[in-house]
Amino acid sequence: MNNLLYLSLLAGAAASAYYYGSGEESLNRSRHSLITSFCLAAAFTYHYVVRRTRYVFLVDFACFKPGLSCLCTTEMILERAKHVGFLSEESLKLVAKILDRSGLGPKTYLPEGVLHIPPKLTFDEARKETDTVLFGAVDELLEKTGVQSKDIGILVVNCCLFNPTPSLSDTIVNHYKLRGNILTYDLSGMGCSAGVLAVDFAKQLLQVHPNSYALVLSTENETSSIYRGNNPSMMLTNCLFRMGGSAALLSSHPSDRCRSKYQLIHTLRTHVGADDNSYKCVFQEEDEAHKIGVSLSKELMNVARDALKIHITSLGPVVLPISEKVKFVVNFVKRKFLKIMIEAYVPNFTLAFDHFCIHTGGRAVLDRMQKSLELDDWHMEPSRMTLYRFGNTSSSSVWYELAYCEAKGRVKKGDRVWQMAFGSGFKVNTAVWVALKNIEPPLKNTPWRDEIDDFPVKLNPPKPTSNNK
């Protein structure tokens, strides 16, 4: 409809011009000249006001860093596991083995209720955890940006497994007394990729609501998602996931460009859930003892690999330089049409991006991503160090990784950042940012405060699997 209006205005201008050139009388010429001018002015005004690109800026973001009461060591986790009352001896050995190979460091964070002996896995504790994380992240973000809560027009909250009533977005509206006409959305059940997906959703809302602020919150709730059984395929989530959350302030105010850190230049979403193996590879269900948990299938790594191929095939033509596009096309023609038996060409994404924030799904996942994208250790450092220090914080992990890049003083004006996350469904989502200025390492209001100089740490290779049971 918008295109039809635009074309109609141009057609009106052309028709008037035709009559003007056909020898009409002077009165008609003046009338048609006036119509021509009006149509052209209306067409160009429409093109400028309605169809022009509305830029989306990232003013700033914040990641919640839990307090000392939530700090837990590997020894504490193993000790607490012995007291939960539902793990068998075989399961305890499996937990120790998973933690040893997980890529998580000796100090991460879990909610107080989970660390309590015995654990307090109640609904009230779950709500307390989410309130602590989200309020902490939003408070820090509002302090950093100076934006008033009444100025926020869009709110997007994503949490996969904990969705109380009133909703999490309602909780934020009530706590910060947000305005009555705010647009609120809750994204649930969308897994670890939902943080990037929420950015894409907020972008689309901002492009139809100019001069607005969008608050995007990402978290997962550990208290409510603890698996209380002994099925090995469901125990991995208990071992890898940790407490955390993020808040990001996006803006469609043109005047915010000068104070914003980044501009969003591209988003991409890939969903392969039409395939049954992909759909079921991360699946919440009951085990044989009717305990609810999230099972991870043995096909997960293959599903992630294949989904990544589809995703970068769509992303490459948009972000890669022409030299890489030519190499990819030549390789594709040789393999598909000339039937030459050669390996598929993997584009060099370091020519498109300066910083990589790949979701901290686990050590094995990061190993697969590094191999598939042919990245060096420096590019993988933000992801591996975030996994080491904070564990898998689900949808918020890509923000802890970007905070790492900033704390290291690596982000310079014009640098491109690739945030990529994947999760249940199965989905792969991308957000590409360009830095609008040199980002100075923050002295406070960063999850890496007081300890960034301790990183990177040297990671020990995983121990080989023993043949002895």
Side-chain angles (χ1 to χ4, degrees), residues 209-281:
H209 295 281
N211 301 313
S212 298
Y213 286 113
L215 179 62
V216 179
L217 308 182
S218 299
T219 190
E220 189 50 86
N221 189 280
E222 301 309 305
T223 306
S224 66
S225 59
I226 290 291
Y227 169 58
R228 311 182 197 191
N230 289 276
N231 186 318
S233 68
M234 296 181 171
M235 293 174 60
L236 191 64
T237 54
N238 286 359
C239 299
L240 294 181
F241 283 82
R242 294 292 185 270
M243 184 182 186
S246 64
L249 185 67
L250 275 60
S251 172
S252 59
H253 290 271
S255 59
D256 276 328
R257 180 185 181 92
C258 59
R259 76 184 188 110
S260 296
K261 285 185 171 181
Y262 303 92
Q263 179 181 325
L264 183 61
I265 59 175
H266 191 68
T267 56
L268 178 65
R269 295 162 61 173
T270 298
H271 202 312
V272 294
D275 174 73
D276 288 344
N277 284 336
S278 301
Y279 172 69
K280 294 179 179 179
C281 69

Side-chain angles (χ1 to χ4, degrees), residues 59-75:
V59 181
D60 212 331
F61 67 96
C63 299
F64 177 71
K65 187 173 185 177
L68 292 178
S69 62
C70 297
L71 186 67
C72 61
T73 64
T74 303
E75 292 74 17

Side-chain angles (χ1 to χ4, degrees), residues 318-337:
V318 180
V319 300
L320 289 169
I322 188 65
S323 59
E324 287 298 296
K325 294 177 185 178
V326 170
K327 292 177 182 178
F328 179 83
V329 170
V330 169
N331 177 272
F332 180 81
V333 170
K334 287 181 178 179
R335 289 186 296 109
K336 297 298 182 181
F337 297 101

Side-chain angles (χ1 to χ4, degrees), residues 236-432:
L236 191 64
T237 54
N238 286 359
C239 299
L240 294 181
F241 283 82
R242 294 292 185 270
M243 184 182 186
S246 64
L249 185 67
L250 275 60
S251 172
S252 59
H253 290 271
S255 59
D256 276 328
R257 180 185 181 92
C258 59
R259 76 184 188 110
S260 296
K261 285 185 171 181
Y262 303 92
Q263 179 181 325
L264 183 61
I265 59 175
H266 191 68
T267 56
L268 178 65
R269 295 162 61 173
T270 298
H271 202 312
V272 294
D275 174 73
D276 288 344
N277 284 336
S278 301
Y279 172 69
K280 294 179 179 179
C281 69
V282 181
F283 205 81
Q284 186 180 28
E285 58 186 346
E286 290 185 339
D287 65 9
E288 56 279 358
H290 306 292
K291 304 295 184 181
I292 297 176
V294 177
S295 65
L296 306 180
S297 79
K298 295 180 179 179
E299 292 297 315
L300 175 57
M301 299 302 294
N302 292 331
V303 168
R305 177 200 62 203
D306 295 340
L308 178 64
K309 288 181 180 179
I310 297 172
H311 190 73
I312 64 176
T313 299
S314 299
L315 181 66
V318 180
V319 300
L320 289 169
I322 188 65
S323 59
E324 287 298 296
K325 294 177 185 178
V326 170
K327 292 177 182 178
F328 179 83
V329 170
V330 169
N331 177 272
F332 180 81
V333 170
K334 287 181 178 179
R335 289 186 296 109
K336 297 298 182 181
F337 297 101
L338 302 181
K339 306 300 180 182
I340 299 176
M341 301 299 293
I342 57 175
E343 291 290 330
Y345 179 70
V346 178
N348 183 1
F349 279 97
T350 62
L351 298 177
F353 305 115
D354 302 283
H355 309 284
F356 294 76
C357 300
I358 300 173
H359 166 59
T360 57
R363 185 173 196 158
V365 173
L366 293 180
D367 289 344
R368 177 60 64 92
M369 292 298 109
Q370 181 170 8
K371 181 178 179 181
S372 298
L373 296 172
E374 298 184 356
L375 300 176
D376 59 31
D377 291 342
W378 189 88
H379 290 111
M380 294 297 297
E381 185 181 306
S383 298
R384 293 195 185 277
M385 294 303 102
T386 296
L387 178 64
Y388 181 90
R389 181 62 185 87
F390 295 99
N392 184 343
T393 60
S394 190
S395 55
S396 64
S397 68
V398 293
W399 295 106
Y400 287 84
E401 295 162 7
L402 182 55
Y404 182 90
C405 295
E406 291 188 354
K408 281 293 184 182
R410 295 178 177 178
V411 184
K412 307 301 180 184
K413 183 177 181 180
D415 283 1
R416 292 195 172 200
V417 179
W418 183 12
Q419 286 183 320
M420 182 179 66
F422 31 86
S424 59
F426 189 83
K427 300 178 287 293
V428 183
N429 299 319
T430 276
V432 179

Side-chain angles (χ1 to χ4, degrees), residues 120-166:
K120 298 167 64 176
L121 306 179
T122 65
F123 182 86
D124 286 344
E125 286 294 325
R127 188 185 288 277
K128 175 184 175 183
E129 176 196 344
T130 298
D131 288 353
T132 300
V133 172
L134 293 184
F135 296 166
V138 174
D139 287 348
E140 184 174 305
L141 179 64
L142 294 180
E143 179 185 345
K144 292 169 75 172
T145 61
V147 170
Q148 301 297 312
S149 57
K150 63 181 178 61
D151 296 326
I152 298 171
I154 299 168
L155 173 63
V156 181
V157 183
N158 73 269
C159 182
C160 184
L161 296 176
F162 182 64
N163 298 282
T165 299

